[in-house]
Amino acid sequence: MPSFRATIQITGLRPGHAPEEVMDMAVAAVGSAHVVEANQLDIVAGVPRITVRFMVEASEYDAENQFARNAAVSMAHGVNEVATTGALRTFRRSAGKWLSL
């Protein structure tokens, strides 16, 4: 099964939500349709960024990429319920490198 990752910048929390809810929401959104391999929080240039790595069921190459893009959009919608966000990016693992979709 091909491996993908989605990253999104977190620019703030919505009132009434705890920081840990952001990652929980991201993992739940992606995990509802795909196997989540890992997740992490990084600070890049002073801005928090979460990454969720996941697998998509093997099929046709373009379809796999579309499933991954859809998962990233679902993640963004879920995270936006508890936080304000910035840039969303999706990557595919290929020959040991992460390639932007």
Side-chain angles (χ1 to χ4, degrees), residues 8 14-15 21 39 63-64 79 82 88:
I8 192 166
R14 297 204 184 274
E21 289 180 70
N39 62 76
E64 294 165 352
V79 169
V82 297
L88 171 68

Side-chain angles (χ1 to χ4, degrees), residues 24-96:
D24 292 345
M25 187 63 80
V27 170
V30 174
S32 68
H34 304 288
V35 174
V36 173
E37 297 178 284
N39 62 76
Q40 68 186 46
L41 168 68
D42 298 300
I43 307 298
V44 180
V47 178
R49 179 181 69 191
I50 60 172
T51 301
V52 176
R53 195 175 76 208
F54 58 98
M55 294 185 292
V56 169
E57 189 68 35
S59 63
E60 191 269 326
Y61 186 85
D62 289 336
E64 294 165 352
N65 289 346
Q66 190 58 52
F67 287 136
R69 285 186 195 99
N70 293 346
V73 169
S74 292
M75 181 182 86
H77 285 299
V79 169
N80 274 308
E81 291 181 23
V82 297
T84 56
T85 61
L88 171 68
R89 297 188 64 196
T90 311
F91 301 87
R92 182 185 182 121
R93 187 80 171 169
S94 180

